[in-house]
Amino acid sequence: MLYRHRTLDTPRGPLSTPVLFPVRNIGKRSTDNTPEYADSIPDLPTAMVNARAIRRRKPQWERLQHEATLREEMNVPEETIVFADSGGFDFHSEKLDTTPTETLETQQQIGADILGTVDLPLNREYRTEKKQRRIQRSIEYALTASDSHDGDELLFASVHGYDPETIRNTIRYLDRNGSFDGFAIGSLVPIRTDYKKTTKLILAARQATEKHLHVYGLGGIVYQPLLLYLGVDSFDSSSFIRSAGNRNYLLPGFGGRELGKIEELDRLPCSCPVCGSRTFEEVRADRGLLTIHNLWALAIELRRFRYMVAAGEDIEAYLDLRFRGNEVTHRAYLTAKQQVRRLT
């Protein structure tokens, strides 16, 4: 197992890892409607925001420049540790409209603690030549950001690749030629159902660096144990919001379940602050409650894994049991286990 427990020193204070960064929708809407969680889930003093989206929403950008702080806009404590990516995921479908320097300025102006460099994610439909051009441009943008960055914030280079060798070579090249505190692997969401390929790419990244490793967009309830097993230090997810919109109930060990398909039930099986005191119908009828529960489910998944490690339990046996209910994910875990055992 490559799981590791560390402390990341950020400008706003130490952060215990591995950790989840819940994706906030600030900038994507007129107001941030992500439910409050910072005070109720103490092990999630974190948030992931999209720097490009915030800058493009002009009224909000005006407030942030003159009268408000990002954390006030999000209604979270000032000590919340914010990771601002470049908004690169939007560049799947939209033309690049920023520069490494402008993105860096935006991230610093909103008071982000961790900065992700401008990147051009890959799509599985792209030809190899196009993928290679986008990888090369993302490398150039990362190095430009490295040259321009002179603040206390942590700078993570955004990395893309379509095979393990490209991932390894890109990280090692960036590490030799730039100054980065960590690396963030992208372009995995479009291939997330190909568990075998995805885990190989992540493992290649883990092998290439001892520095902090973040995975963009895969911190949902199914992938999270795999990421922890593979030694990923942090991950982000918006699945708690998207799943609630579809009335999907996330449950550690089981994944998501559609509440609409359940006809008769008095209480839900989770004992989180949302489910513990409310009836099944109350939770099913309230999207906001379901969103908070789903975030609790992600936090519990992480807590459970940490507990198993701290208690000295056999993690591989735990994951064998954890994934046995789903043939696809169980096969993915077995593949990851084979790869990890060759390294350890």
Side-chain angles (χ1 to χ4, degrees), residues 233-245:
D233 299 301
S234 64
F235 29 81
D236 60 88
S237 178
S238 61
S239 64
F240 63 104
I241 301 173
R242 290 183 287 102
S243 294

Side-chain angles (χ1 to χ4, degrees), residues 15-21 43-46 212 233-235 302 306:
L15 177 64
S16 180
T17 65
V19 69
L20 167 70
F21 284 83
D43 40 347
L44 292 184
T46 50
H212 188 99
D233 299 301
S234 64
F235 29 81
L302 179 53
R306 280 182 155 186

Side-chain angles (χ1 to χ4, degrees), residues 60-78:
Q60 188 168 62
W61 181 237
E62 288 290 326
R63 289 198 301 275
L64 288 172
Q65 287 187 298
H66 299 106
E67 61 192 61
T69 70
L70 176 67
R71 290 162 182 81
E72 288 172 347
E73 292 281 307
M74 295 196 296
N75 195 27
V76 300
E78 281 300 311

